[in-house]
């Protein structure tokens, strides 16, 4: 080796470094903090405090690293003072949250021609060569930014591989490979600091929730070599399985290796614990193995977290280089949190805060295996979580036919309407080209727990040709298999492996703890007995919204409903309603039975009538046949019901006042069902909710009629019952005039879907078209149908709540729009003094946990001075 240079000697400044805030030698008492030096540095200090065999480490603060990125040089003498002249060093990133990532570790800094010769004597030529070669390559790629392929031609077992590697470096850079360890270290630090400040890295970590100005710390650690004489090697250990959270010693060890090589080359690596599949560290180095287990257990107890340790064995001696939180999916996160609490390591309330409520979706729905390759066709709005694969069908009828053959299908529509309900029930997933978070497909999909992506406008759906064209030109036809990932909005070609939904005992335990702590109610939006059963299974405290109109789309009711709509006289209408009455009554009896005395809030009929009518000529013809009417009559009636702006037209209470017989029938069905269900079980106190109110007089009119029906039913049946009447606040005016509405009702429930639509003047069915542009350009911070707009819509909620409670302090307040299940909205409603939130049944566990976390956080804040 011709290149031998002098090693720079540094003056010693260890004592100064110990107390320096920016370049800090990690001792048990050194000033190191997560917020200033990052999680890795802080964790290493904790390991040092536990007296674990951690090699000497210096932590660089966020400020110091930022200065390095801007071109300043740190005090290299001080930085290198704690290390011996012979030490090789490694540098690792230390961000505040490990999930925000950071540049990869660089090992063996300080190796040069002179050290190489010493190391050949000390560790053997092969080990020294591998170490020097590794450093030159990482330096070339990460510091000199050379193409990683440039070393591909050099075989690792070639005796000249090091010379070749150095030659390749020097030819490419036209410079000698730096020999001064201080220069090497400075350049490594600079490249890592700058990599963190690059735009791509910033965007990536911002996507994971990091603030724009998140800092990076760096830790410089003396290498424990893992290569050389005696038993040397490196590995990684954790005491649980990352996918299940079950207790299992997991990891690998590779002799004569460094860093995370053991994981990269699993086939050559040893198991840790004795294992029938192959040799293990336990057999090879039992003493080191025992120590390793002991240290990792201690880390779990004292760091109060399931940790993964990176370790090195150097001539039989164990070193713990690093500890990081065990990576985990939601399933494992719950089991880990519960078992830490059950072992008395953390209190229950802390276990509750350790699980991201949204991650619970992973347990409630099947998911695409995160390790599987994804062939993405396009993406849209992730409207209902979970994943499912199936053959493409383009109509509800085809979906039903497919289900009848036992074949999974994905229903693809431009957008869905109530007519598609049966098709949606039959499908494994739904995809729509249009729509947003609160459009029909999204609301129904979430209610049913059906994976759904809406607003996938990058896909072109040709319904007539039965073809979907993806943005890359690929065409998919009816019968082709696709996968809908409703958790992240992807539409995937083919059928990637899915992970099963699983709610195990740990999940149940965590939910029980959540209910012990939470102080806001959680109900479910449930329209059908199946929804109600799901709501009960997820321990909802009642139904907060039963959208009764969905019941009219079931089975043969649609025809009767259409007869009612087409009735020319009040008598004909009464006759049709008479036939609908027993069906509604049966629905309500079933709901009351399933809910076993828990409150059930039934919303009176809401949609415009034309939603129940067919929209195409074939449908008109069928209807004419069914009702025995001339086709022209049907067409004329359908046209007469058509509105320019149906969402702002004859719907909700407006229909209830104009065609009062519908609400009369519904009220009667509710009261008769109340009497019936109370006969067998707990007494039922139904709640009746009036939709789309904007004026006090509307409430007075409906209340008078509902009271009259109640009196009539009491008389006829000779049985008493109570009920509560409430208003759904969905128009800005209802929120503003809550003070005059409240005296007439016992509750207000905020329907934030319509309220958002009307506050913004933004169609909930069409917003998907421009929402992503709006969010990208920062017009809206998020889709307001997805995240409650706490500024505008939220202000209306607050005004409504305050004005309502001012005249009626016992007024029950709730939210039942889709926002009801989101942790941020729950926080808002809780702060505003709401009694409960109501959300899709599958979001109930998410809401229970989110609500518990808020209560726990408040307790902690109150406890702190
Ligand atoms: C709402 O508007 O918030 C609501 C819950 O009602 P729907 O979604 O049925 O209009
Ligand atoms: Mg509404």
């Amino acid at each position: 080796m011709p290149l031998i240079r002098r090693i720079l000697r540094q003056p010693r400044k260890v004592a100064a470094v110990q107390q320096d805030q920016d370049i800090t030698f990690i001792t048990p008492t050194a000033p190191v903090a997560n917020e200033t030096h990052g999680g890795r540095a802080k964790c290493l200090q904790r390991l040092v405090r536990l007296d674990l065999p951690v090699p000497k480490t210096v932590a660089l603060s966020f400020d110091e690293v930022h200065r390095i990125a801007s071109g300043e040089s740190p005090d290299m003498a001080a930085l290198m003072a704690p290390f011996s002249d012979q030490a090789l060093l490694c540098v690792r990133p230390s961000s505040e949250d490990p999930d925000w990532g950071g540049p990869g570790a660089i090992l063996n800094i300080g190796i040069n021609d002179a050290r190489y010769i010493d190391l050949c004597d000390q560790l053997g030529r092969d080990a020294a060569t591998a170490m020097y070669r590794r450093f030159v390559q990482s330096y070339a790629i990460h510091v000199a930014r050379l193409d990683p392929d440039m070393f591909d031609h050099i075989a690792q077992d070639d005796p000249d591989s090091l010379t070749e590697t150095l030659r390749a470096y020097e030819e490419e850079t036209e410079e000698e490979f730096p020999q001064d360890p201080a220069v090497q270290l400075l350049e490594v630090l600079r490249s890592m600091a700058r990599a963190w400040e690059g735009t791509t890295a910033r965007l990536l970590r911002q996507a994971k929730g990091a603030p724009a100005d998140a800092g990076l710390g760096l830790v410089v650690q003396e290498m424990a070599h893992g290569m050389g004489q005696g038993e040397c090697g490196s590995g990684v250990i954790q005491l649980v399985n990352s996918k299940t959270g079950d207790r299992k010693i997991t990891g690998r060890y590779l002799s004569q290796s460094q860093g995370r090589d053991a994981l990269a080359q699993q086939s050559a690596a040893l198991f840790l614990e004795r294992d029938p599949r192959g040799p293990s560290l336990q057999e090879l180095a039992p003493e080191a193995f025992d120590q390793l287990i002991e240290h990792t257990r201690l880390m779990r107890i004292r760091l109060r977290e399931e940790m993964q340790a990176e370790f090195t064995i150097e001539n039989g001696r164990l070193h713990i280089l690093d500890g990081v939180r065990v990576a985990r999916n939601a399933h494992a996160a719950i089991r880990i949190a519960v078992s830490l609490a059950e072992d008395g390591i953390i209190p229950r309330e802390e276990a509750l805060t350790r699980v991201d409520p949204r991650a619970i979706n992973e347990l409630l729905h099947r998911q695409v295996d995160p390790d599987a390759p994804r062939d993405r066709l396009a993406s849209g709005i992730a409207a209902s979580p979970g994943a499912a694969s199936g053959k493409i069908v383009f109509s509800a009828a085809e979906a039903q036919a497919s289900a009848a053959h036992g074949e999974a299908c994905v229903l693809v529509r431009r957008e869905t309407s109530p007519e598609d309900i049966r098709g949606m029930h039959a499908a494994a997933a739904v995809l729509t080209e249009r729509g947003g978070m609160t459009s029909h497909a999204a609301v129904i999909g979430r209610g049913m727990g059906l994976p759904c992506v809406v607003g996938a406008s990058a896909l072109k759906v040709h319904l007539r040709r039965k073809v979907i064209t993806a943005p890359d030109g690929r065409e998919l036809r009816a019968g082709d298999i696709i996968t809908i990932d409703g958790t992240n909005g992807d539409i995937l070609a083919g059928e990637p492996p899915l992970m099963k939904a699983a709610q195990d005992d740990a999940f149940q335990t965590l939910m029980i703890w959540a209910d012990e702590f939470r102080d806001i109610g959680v109900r479910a939006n449930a329209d059908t007995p199946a929804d109600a059963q799901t709501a009960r299974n997820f321990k909802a405290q009642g139904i907060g919204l039963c959208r009764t109109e969905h019941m009219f789309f079931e089975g043969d009711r649609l025809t009767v409903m259409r007869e009612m709509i087409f009735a020319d006289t009040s008598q004909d209408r009464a006759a049709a309603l008479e036939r609908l009455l027993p069906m509604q009554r049966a629905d309500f009896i079933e709901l009351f039975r399933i809910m076993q005395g828990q409150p059930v809030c039934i919303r009176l009929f809401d949609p415009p009538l034309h939603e129940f009518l067919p929209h195409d000529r074939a449908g008109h013809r069928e209807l004419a046949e069914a009702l025995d009417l001339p086709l022209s009559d049907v067409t004329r009636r359908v046209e007469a019901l058509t509105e320019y702006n149906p969402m702002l037209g004859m719907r909700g209470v407006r229909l209830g006042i104009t065609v009062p017989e519908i609400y009369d029938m519904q009220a009667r069905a509710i009261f008769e069902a109340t009497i019936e269900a109370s006969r067998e079980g707990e007494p039922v106190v139904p709640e009746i909710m009036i939709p789309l109110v904007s004026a006090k007089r509307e409430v007075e009119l409906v209340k008078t009629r509902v009271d009259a029906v109640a009196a009539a039913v009491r008389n006829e049946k000779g049985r008493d019952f109570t009920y509560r009447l409430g208003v759904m606040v969905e128009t800005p005016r209802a929120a503003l005039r809550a003070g005059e509405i409240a005296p007439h009702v016992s509750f207000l429930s905020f329907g934030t879907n319509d309220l958002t639509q009307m506050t913004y003047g933004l169609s909930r069915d069409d917003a998907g078209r421009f929402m992503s542009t709006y969010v990208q350009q920062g017009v809206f911070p998020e889709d307001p149908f997805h995240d409650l707009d706490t500024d505008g819509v939220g202000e209306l909620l607050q005004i409504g709540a305050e004005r309502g409670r001012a005249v009626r302090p016992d007024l029950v307040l709730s939210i039942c729009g889709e926002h009801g299940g989101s942790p941020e909205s729950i926080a808002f409603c809780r702060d505003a003094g709401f009694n409960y939130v109501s959300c899709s049944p599958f979001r109930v566990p998410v809401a229970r946990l989110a609500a518990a976390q808020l209560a726990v956080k408040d307790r902690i804040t109150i406890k702190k001075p």
Side-chain angles (χ1 to χ4, degrees):
M1 182 70 42
L3 314 162
I4 297 184
R5 287 127 183 145
R6 190 173 60 86
I7 302 167
L8 194 84
R9 289 195 174 268
Q10 302 290 349
R12 313 221 144 240
K13 289 194 184 174
V14 181
V17 175
Q18 278 178 12
Q19 289 316 316
D20 189 323
Q21 304 268 358
D22 288 321
I23 301 181
T24 320
F25 179 51
I26 298 185
T27 62
T29 53
V32 176
N34 208 34
E35 302 72 38
T36 50
H37 295 79
R40 174 168 269 128
K42 187 67 211 171
C43 179
L44 283 164
Q45 184 177 48
R46 293 198 174 120
L47 302 188
V48 168
R49 283 184 188 151
L50 296 181
D51 220 8
L52 298 188
V54 178
K56 284 181 196 162
T57 310
V58 170
L60 271 61
S61 71
F62 296 167
D63 288 346
E64 188 66 40
V65 174
H66 183 63
R67 283 192 288 271
I68 295 173
S70 0
E72 281 181 41
S73 289
D75 180 347
M76 292 306 287
L79 171 51
M80 297 177 78
F83 306 111
S84 77
D85 287 345
Q86 297 304 303
L88 298 188
L89 304 175
C90 88
V91 182
R92 294 201 196 89
S94 176
S95 54
E96 202 172 331
D97 181 331
D99 291 344
W100 298 346
I106 297 191
L107 313 183
N108 304 334
I109 303 160
I111 196 165
N112 53 19
D113 301 348
R115 279 293 288 133
Y116 170 69
I117 290 168
D118 293 347
L119 286 170
C120 283
D121 291 343
Q122 232 176 292
L123 310 176
R125 191 182 171 89
D126 287 351
T129 302
M131 287 163 68
Y132 199 2
R133 196 182 53 225
R134 179 185 199 123
F135 177 55
V136 177
Q137 292 191 356
S138 335
Y139 193 93
I141 296 163
H142 299 291
V143 181
R145 308 256 158 209
L146 302 184
D147 190 343
D149 307 349
M150 62 176 278
F151 301 110
D152 280 0
H153 65 284
I154 304 171
Q156 305 220 341
D157 49 5
D158 179 346
D160 290 334
S161 65
L162 177 59
T163 320
E164 285 294 313
T165 304
L166 279 163
R167 181 174 304 136
Y169 176 91
E170 296 186 352
E171 264 169 24
E172 197 65 28
T173 58
E174 295 179 5
E175 278 174 15
E176 288 183 345
F177 188 73
Q179 294 294 302
D180 181 343
V183 170
Q184 293 177 351
L185 179 59
L186 177 60
E187 290 306 321
V188 166
L189 295 174
R190 193 164 279 156
S191 77
M192 289 172 88
R194 290 191 173 152
W196 178 258
E197 305 218 337
T199 312
T200 320
R202 185 167 41 76
L203 290 177
L204 277 175
R205 63 178 176 268
Q206 276 180 294
K208 292 179 187 158
D213 60 350
L216 176 74
L218 291 171
V219 294
V220 182
Q221 190 176 63
E222 186 162 321
M223 295 282 304
H225 294 147
M227 305 191 86
Q229 316 288 337
E231 182 48 45
C232 291
S234 63
V236 166
I237 181 172
Q238 61 188 49
L239 303 176
V240 292
N241 176 317
S242 276
K243 286 195 171 162
T244 61
D246 290 336
R247 304 219 66 68
K248 170 95 190 92
I249 294 172
T250 311
R252 287 288 192 278
Y253 169 79
L254 185 63
S255 290
Q256 300 299 327
S257 79
Q258 296 188 303
R260 296 186 154 242
D261 293 352
L263 292 185
Q265 302 167 39
Q266 290 222 357
S267 53
L270 268 56
F271 293 99
L272 298 179
E273 203 174 16
R274 198 167 280 120
D275 195 298
R277 289 170 294 172
S280 67
L281 179 65
Q282 189 170 22
E283 290 149 313
L284 181 74
E287 227 171 88
F289 173 80
D290 288 346
Q291 278 173 19
L292 184 61
I293 299 293
E294 202 182 301
H295 293 335
T296 321
R297 285 205 181 121
L298 185 68
M299 283 162 76
R300 174 177 189 256
I301 296 169
R302 299 290 291 279
L303 271 55
R304 308 165 74 249
E305 179 53 291
E306 208 57 71
M307 299 296 290
Q308 184 191 65
E310 196 176 302
F311 65 95
T312 292
I313 296 177
E314 199 180 35
N315 202 6
R317 253 188 76 207
L318 178 70
H319 300 270
I320 302 288
L321 310 184
D322 196 12
V324 291
R325 218 174 137 260
V326 163
R328 63 199 72 181
N329 60 16
H331 198 87
I334 293 178
R335 184 161 293 282
I336 288 172
V338 168
S339 92
L340 285 169
E342 284 178 339
D343 292 350
I345 296 171
I346 57 172
R348 285 178 179 185
E349 52 263 58
E350 190 170 345
L352 288 166
T353 63
R354 297 268 182 112
V355 178
D356 176 1
R358 279 176 235 270
I360 287 189
N361 280 322
E362 280 181 37
L363 278 80
L364 306 180
H365 309 275
R366 281 184 303 167
Q367 304 290 337
V368 176
D369 186 333
D371 301 331
R374 300 169 83 90
D375 181 2
R376 171 136 44 92
L377 292 163
S379 55
I381 297 173
S384 175
S389 311
K391 290 187 173 173
I392 296 173
V393 295
F394 289 97
S395 73
E398 286 165 46
Q400 285 174 275
S402 182
H405 293 126
E407 280 177 359
C409 67
V410 174
L411 176 61
V412 182
R413 304 285 294 153
R414 202 151 272 147
E415 60 199 329
T416 61
S417 72
E419 281 175 285
D420 293 311
I421 291 266
R422 273 173 279 170
M424 291 178 76
H425 274 290
V430 174
L431 166 64
T432 69
E433 190 185 359
R434 298 186 188 147
M437 271 314 276
T438 58
S439 59
H440 181 265
V443 172
I444 301 293
R446 278 197 294 278
M448 287 164 46
L450 188 67
C452 177
V453 171
V454 300
S457 50
L459 287 177
K460 291 286 154 274
V461 179
H462 312 280
L463 284 178
R464 258 204 230 126
R465 285 173 48 220
K466 299 201 169 178
V467 171
I468 305 172
T469 313
D472 63 3
R474 271 190 281 180
E475 291 206 331
L476 295 139
R477 296 174 184 280
D480 287 349
I481 299 222
I482 56 169
T483 297
I484 299 300
D485 185 341
T487 305
N488 70 5
D490 280 352
I491 300 117
L492 307 170
E495 215 171 350
L498 301 183
M499 291 185 340
K500 278 200 279 180
Q503 298 132 47
D504 56 12
D505 53 328
F507 168 78
Q508 306 297 356
T509 306
L510 193 79
M511 284 293 123
I512 292 170
W513 294 350
D515 291 345
E516 280 168 17
F517 284 94
R518 99 186 132 79
D519 51 15
I520 182 167
V522 177
R523 293 198 197 176
N525 295 351
D527 310 332
T528 62
D531 292 348
Q533 195 54 58
T534 314
R536 247 204 102 73
N537 296 347
F538 287 140
K539 305 224 168 29
Q541 294 163 291
I543 294 179
L545 171 64
C546 169
R547 294 173 163 103
T548 46
E549 61 272 14
H550 292 161
M551 297 167 163
F552 297 112
F553 286 100
E554 301 271 323
D556 50 0
R557 297 168 184 202
L558 190 55
T559 316
V560 187
M561 187 67 193
R562 287 169 170 173
E563 269 177 39
M564 194 275 292
I565 296 170
F566 274 71
D568 278 326
T569 63
S570 151
Q571 272 156 323
D572 286 354
R573 186 175 303 131
L577 286 166
E578 191 67 22
R579 285 172 63 203
L580 287 171
L581 173 71
M583 303 179 190
Q584 278 264 277
R585 188 173 53 221
D587 292 333
F588 296 141
I589 291 174
E590 209 174 341
L591 280 191
F592 293 150
R593 278 192 186 135
I594 293 170
M595 297 314 291
Q596 296 176 5
Q598 287 192 320
V600 176
C601 180
I602 298 167
R603 176 178 77 182
L604 298 173
F605 194 87
D606 180 51
L609 288 179
H610 81 93
E611 281 197 8
F612 292 85
L613 300 178
H615 300 293
D616 56 9
R617 225 177 143 67
H620 293 174
R621 205 173 308 117
E622 256 176 51
L623 183 57
E625 250 168 49
L627 301 183
D628 197 18
L629 288 172
L631 178 61
S632 58
D633 265 20
V634 170
T635 319
R636 192 168 30 80
R637 280 311 275 274
V638 172
E639 274 167 13
L641 283 170
T642 305
E643 293 173 292
Y644 284 109
N645 211 338
M647 291 307 272
L648 300 179
M650 175 93 139
R651 56 171 285 220
V653 69
R654 300 163 196 172
L655 189 64
I657 285 171
T658 321
V659 191
E661 298 94 325
I662 302 178
Y663 280 9
D664 287 352
M665 180 279 287
Q666 290 198 298
R668 176 170 280 277
I670 294 168
F671 297 138
E672 290 181 358
T674 301
I675 292 175
E676 197 57 40
S678 305
R679 235 189 268 283
E680 306 157 10
E682 304 261 335
V684 174
V685 179
E687 296 173 352
I688 298 182
M689 182 152 74
I690 315 172
L692 216 77
V693 165
S694 57
K696 165 186 83 160
R697 184 75 187 133
E698 290 169 329
V699 185
E700 286 171 353
L701 288 172
V702 174
K703 185 171 167 27
T704 308
R705 285 189 80 111
V706 172
D707 281 344
V709 175
V713 174
R714 282 191 191 106
N715 259 342
E716 286 162 30
K717 306 279 176 193
R719 300 279 301 246
D720 200 11
F721 55 84
T722 48
Y723 78 95
R724 288 190 276 268
L725 188 77
V727 154
M728 195 160 173
V729 180
E730 298 175 280
T731 66
R733 193 174 191 283
L736 296 170
R737 305 309 295 162
E740 58 184 18
I741 291 173
H744 302 284
V745 294
S746 50
F747 65 90
L748 294 182
S749 186
F750 290 84
T752 45
N753 303 336
D754 273 310
L755 192 56
T756 302
Q757 169 165 267
M758 296 203 206
T759 305
Y760 279 85
L762 185 67
S763 160
R764 55 197 268 196
D765 299 308
D766 301 307
R769 283 199 184 177
F770 54 87
M771 193 53 76
S772 54
T773 314
Y774 254 50
V775 173
Q776 268 162 20
Q777 301 202 11
V779 183
F780 300 157
E782 246 310 331
D783 179 348
F785 290 109
H786 192 277
D787 285 10
L788 181 70
D789 158 43
T790 47
D791 299 338
V793 179
E795 190 174 355
L796 283 170
L797 258 60
Q798 250 150 358
I799 290 172
E802 277 162 23
R803 295 186 182 171
R805 284 251 172 95
V807 295
R808 192 158 179 172
D810 62 345
L811 186 70
V812 172
L813 296 173
S814 63
I815 178 175
C816 63
E818 289 307 309
H819 304 94
S822 95
E824 293 76 17
S825 319
I826 298 171
F828 182 87
C829 294
R830 188 174 165 271
D831 287 346
F834 281 36
N835 300 76
Y836 69 88
V837 298
S838 188
C839 54
S840 315
F842 282 92
R843 293 176 96 185
V844 166
V846 178
R848 284 163 68 199
L849 180 58
Q853 291 188 346
L854 294 165
V856 168
K857 273 185 202 134
D858 268 5
R859 281 189 188 203
I860 294 169
T861 332
I862 290 163
K863 263 194 221 158
K864 275 191 190 159

